[in-house]
Amino acid sequence: MNDTRTVRKIHLSGSPYEIGRGHGEQGKREIGNSLTTYEALFRGYTGMSWQDACEKALLHHDAISAFRPEYLEEMQGVADGAGVRFEDILALNARSEIALTATPDGCTSFAYLKQGEVWLGQNWDWKSSQIDSLLDIEIGQEGKPSVRMITEGGIIGKIGCNSAGVGVCLNALMTRTWQPKVPIHLGLRAVLDSHTFGEASEAVSDGRMASPAHFLIASKSGEMAGTEVSPVHTAAIPPEDGAVVHTNHICDPRMQEAVSDFPIPDSAPRLNRIKKLMSGLDEKAGAEQMFGVLSDHEHYPDSICRHINPAHPEHMQMETVFSIVMNLTTGSFDYRTGRACEAGAGSRSF
């Protein structure tokens, strides 16, 4: 996949319902692609029909209502704007819980404090068809920071940062663990709706999330932690030498005791590699050097910059769909679609 297409940028504001409605109207094409992709994935991975997936998604309704009822309003707005059902949009937002806890995924993320500047970034490795679902969304909302994120059409929380200098990245964990709690993508949105690192961390603490994942949370204050979430335990991984890095396996010892994971074989080599690369950055490293890290090909094709591996079965074939590098200190927000080694530049400051 060598793709330099422009991701649709949309600006949203108003009430939660109005924000959602704008998302649905302006991102209708991308939402349609997400629905097509995940209907096929759910059936292919689990044999689950779309209606079965929607029924499972509805099991999260009460937990979301207790957590952030405005997210239900926003998802209703998305559905109305796109001309689909509420449960269709809920299923997209619960897509990790419906089937993908049993699905291999590969992403590599980092947070990095150097010369007083806080950097946050990752590769998002997934099905190449989802490049057609990407949206660059900016949200202005009353009483909360403005949010900038790269997401899949219809999903109201993903990877990004906010005007308060709080940012979050995501790594999937393959665990087959689930409870009818808050879907992880809504946990990501709660982080992005937070004014401080402490508020962001608290929002996803205490086993609130419905499935295990890793949220790399950082802020311009210099605070950062790898936050492994799950329905049964939440663990914080502190920085070492000014950096936190993560791939797709559980790292915290207590979390390892609480949750069994089944990581893909390249997760540990990628973690060791990004540790080495981050420690080797010079004092003046900027966004281009960060994208250089994300373009690394050691252990190709199952490298930090992931390429299709024809030796893997079809359901395990994935590649880097986009790369993102954020400077939380200055507010810069840069992303590139396609594989990091050959991708097109995506965007500018927050």
Side-chain angles (χ1 to χ4, degrees):
M1 177 181 61
N2 181 2
D3 207 309
T4 59
R5 76 189 71 182
T6 301
V7 176
R8 189 190 303 272
K9 175 77 180 289
I10 59 180
H11 298 267
L12 306 170
S13 62
S15 68
Y17 179 82
E18 290 166 339
I19 289 168
R21 179 134 197 151
H23 178 166
E25 290 173 347
Q26 297 179 60
K28 186 172 183 178
R29 183 184 68 195
E30 290 79 6
I31 292 167
N33 191 72
S34 284
L35 291 168
T36 299
T37 294
Y38 286 108
E39 181 174 11
L41 284 177
F42 294 160
R43 186 176 296 279
Y45 288 136
T46 69
M48 186 180 291
S49 71
W50 184 253
Q51 188 55 40
D52 290 340
C54 290
E55 289 174 6
K56 185 172 181 182
L58 285 167
L59 297 175
H60 296 277
H61 184 281
D62 290 351
I64 299 167
S65 182
F67 179 67
R68 298 284 195 280
E70 66 269 25
Y71 294 168
L72 296 173
E73 298 173 40
E74 187 170 332
M75 286 188 283
Q76 184 65 63
V78 175
D80 291 348
V84 299
R85 303 175 303 164
F86 167 79
E87 52 264 42
D88 294 329
I89 299 302
L90 182 60
L92 290 179
N93 283 274
R95 57 86 151 166
S96 295
E97 286 72 24
I98 290 168
L100 302 185
T101 55
T103 303
D105 191 357
C107 301
T108 306
S109 63
F110 65 82
Y112 183 66
L113 173 61
K114 199 76 166 181
Q115 298 283 50
E117 293 190 333
V118 179
W119 295 89
L120 183 64
Q122 74 168 95
N123 281 345
W124 188 60
D125 303 340
W126 192 225
K127 302 299 181 183
S128 58
S129 63
Q130 275 305 85
I131 198 169
D132 293 321
S133 300
L134 295 179
L135 289 171
D136 176 353
I137 295 182
E138 190 164 345
I139 304 172
Q141 46 192 353
E142 189 173 344
K144 297 177 181 178
S146 299
V147 169
R148 178 86 180 273
M149 64 182 173
I150 306 299
T151 189
E152 302 167 86
I155 297 179
I156 69 169
K158 196 81 176 179
I159 298 158
C161 62
N162 68 25
S163 58
V166 175
V168 66
C169 289
L170 171 68
N171 300 88
L173 299 174
M174 187 173 166
T175 67
R176 305 189 182 100
T177 297
W178 172 88
Q179 290 185 25
K181 296 186 175 183
V182 178
I184 61 170
H185 283 84
L186 301 186
L188 292 170
R189 176 60 178 276
V191 170
L192 292 172
D193 283 344
S194 299
H195 292 88
T196 65
F197 174 85
E199 181 185 342
S201 299
E202 194 281 330
V204 297
S205 65
D206 301 328
R208 287 193 180 97
M209 298 296 102
S211 65
H214 172 255
F215 296 173
L216 183 43
I217 304 172
S219 78
K220 67 180 182 181
S221 66
E223 296 169 285
M224 60 180 67
T227 305
E228 293 181 342
V229 303
S230 82
V232 296
H233 184 63
T234 303
I237 300 167
E240 292 184 16
D241 300 322
V244 181
V245 294
H246 210 283
T247 51
N248 303 105
H249 61 277
I250 295 172
C251 295
D252 179 78
R254 288 187 60 196
M255 183 68 84
Q256 289 171 344
E257 293 176 4
V259 176
S260 296
D261 68 337
F262 308 90
I264 51 179
D266 57 78
S267 184
R270 280 185 291 115
L271 184 66
N272 291 333
R273 180 61 175 166
I274 195 167
K275 282 181 181 177
K276 181 178 179 180
L277 291 171
M278 297 307 293
S279 67
L281 288 174
D282 63 43
E283 292 293 319
K284 296 182 180 180
E288 286 304 315
Q289 288 76 22
M290 307 292 172
F291 279 116
V293 168
L294 295 175
S295 300
D296 185 73
H297 283 145
E298 184 167 291
H299 305 300
Y300 177 92
D302 301 320
S303 41
I304 291 174
C305 179
R306 183 178 294 276
H307 293 240
I308 291 290
N309 187 340
H312 290 166
E314 193 281 331
H315 75 281
M316 290 184 67
Q317 290 184 6
M318 66 187 107
E319 58 188 322
T320 297
V321 177
F322 75 86
S323 307
I324 186 167
V325 173
M326 299 168 275
N327 185 321
L328 301 181
T329 307
T330 65
S332 70
F333 183 100
D334 297 294
Y335 63 90
R336 299 175 178 184
T337 54
R339 291 188 294 260
C341 62
E342 55 192 22
S347 199
R348 302 138 290 278
S349 294
F350 187 88

